[in-house]
Amino acid sequence: MTAGERYEPGRTHGHVVVRCSAAPPADAVAHLGRQGVATVHEAQGRTGLLGHLLRPIYPGARVAGRAVTVSAPPGDNLMIHAAVEQTGPGDVLVVAFTSPSTDGAFGELLATSLRARGVLGLVIDAGCRDVAALTGMAFPVWSRAVSAQGTVKASPGSVNVPIVLGGARIRPGDVIVADDDGVVVVPRERAREVAAAGAARQAAEEERRRQLADGVLGLDIYQLRPLLDRLGVRYLDADPDGPG
C-alpha cells in the first residue's frame, strides 16, 4: 500500500502490509489468559478453537495477547519478517499459509527479533525449528509440526489481514489465548463478555470440584441418572458365582 492509502476490509487490495492499531481491552485479555484455553472455549459457546493439530513446542507455555496476523505462501517466510515491524509488546504473531505446509518457517533468530519487540509468542500453521534454543529462551510457539526443513524468502503475502487457521477466523486485534490445551481466538469485541462468562464458569467449576473431592458423583452433580434412564441404560447385578 502506498503512504496514506487506507485498507478497506472486503475490498481486494492485493498483497499488503496493513498498519493496524485495533486491540482488545487489556483487562479482558489478562482475565482470559488466566482462565486458559479450555475455559475460554467453553465460555464462548465452544467456538474459536484452532483445531487440535497446533501443539506447543514445550510444556507449560501460556500466553494471551493481541493477534498480529500473517498470510504467507508455503515454504516461504518473507512475510513473517515483514510482520515483525508491525508487532509490539503484548502481541502474539499468528501465521497462516495459503496451502498446507510443514516446513520450518520459524526459528531462533526470528524469535530473538520478536522478543526484542515484546511479542509474547507465535502461533504458526506450519513447522518450527530450533526447538531447544526456543525452549531455552522461553519463547513459546504453537505449531503444526517440528521440522528442520528450511524456507525461502521470495514470495509475497499479507500482514494484518483476516486469516483462517485451524478452521477459525482470526482478525488483527483479536485475542489469542494459548496453553497446553491448544489455541483459541476471541473476537476483540467480545473479549469482556467472554471473560465474564469464563469467570462465572470458573466459579461453578470450583463448587463442583469441592463436591467431587467430597465424594459426590458426577452422575448426581449433573443429574445424569434420569438421562441414563431415558436412554435405556439399565443396571444389572452380576452373578457372583458366574463367569466374569
Side-chain angles (χ1 to χ4, degrees):
M1 295 175 68
T2 58
E5 185 180 353
R6 303 292 295 181
Y7 173 73
E8 299 177 24
R11 174 187 161 195
T12 300
H13 290 277
H15 300 297
V16 295
V17 174
V18 181
R19 293 179 286 270
C20 178
S21 60
D27 59 332
V29 175
H31 287 308
L32 292 167
R34 287 191 291 269
Q35 291 166 10
V37 170
T39 294
V40 171
H41 173 55
E42 295 282 356
Q44 65 174 348
R46 296 184 179 178
T47 62
L49 199 63
L50 274 61
H52 65 281
L53 296 178
L54 295 171
R55 303 302 306 150
I57 61 170
Y58 61 82
R62 190 181 185 100
V63 300
R66 167 186 176 269
V68 173
T69 62
V70 179
S71 174
D76 195 310
N77 71 356
L78 172 63
M79 298 314 297
I80 300 178
H81 284 274
V84 173
E85 185 180 24
Q86 304 306 315
T87 63
D91 288 345
V92 177
L93 191 62
V94 186
V95 185
F97 288 82
T98 54
S99 62
S101 176
T102 57
D103 294 342
F106 184 89
E108 178 191 6
L109 295 181
L110 272 166
T112 300
S113 185
L114 290 173
R115 173 62 57 80
R117 299 183 70 85
V119 174
L120 301 177
L122 171 81
V123 176
I124 183 168
D125 195 20
C128 170
R129 62 185 187 178
D130 302 334
V131 170
L134 293 171
T135 302
M137 64 188 290
F139 188 90
V141 175
W142 285 259
S143 67
R144 177 180 289 268
V146 172
S147 174
Q149 176 64 51
T151 58
V152 300
K153 301 171 180 59
S155 305
S158 293
V159 176
N160 274 334
V161 298
I163 59 174
V164 175
L165 201 165
R169 185 173 187 266
I170 306 167
R171 303 165 305 161
D174 284 345
V175 186
I176 295 295
V177 181
D179 59 24
D180 285 327
D181 289 333
V183 186
V184 66
V185 58
V186 179
R188 57 182 180 269
E189 300 89 348
R190 296 191 62 201
R192 285 203 170 103
E193 168 201 341
V194 175
R201 183 177 180 85
Q202 283 185 313
E205 287 183 347
E206 183 57 37
E207 173 58 20
R208 295 188 194 108
R209 187 177 297 109
R210 182 192 63 77
Q211 291 177 289
L212 291 167
D214 287 342
V216 182
L217 296 175
L219 281 173
D220 298 313
I221 293 174
Y222 299 106
Q223 300 181 6
L224 298 177
R225 296 185 191 278
L227 175 60
L228 290 175
D229 186 58
R230 291 196 302 274
L231 293 173
V233 179
R234 297 185 297 151
Y235 285 82
L236 303 177
D237 296 319
D239 184 346
D241 299 321

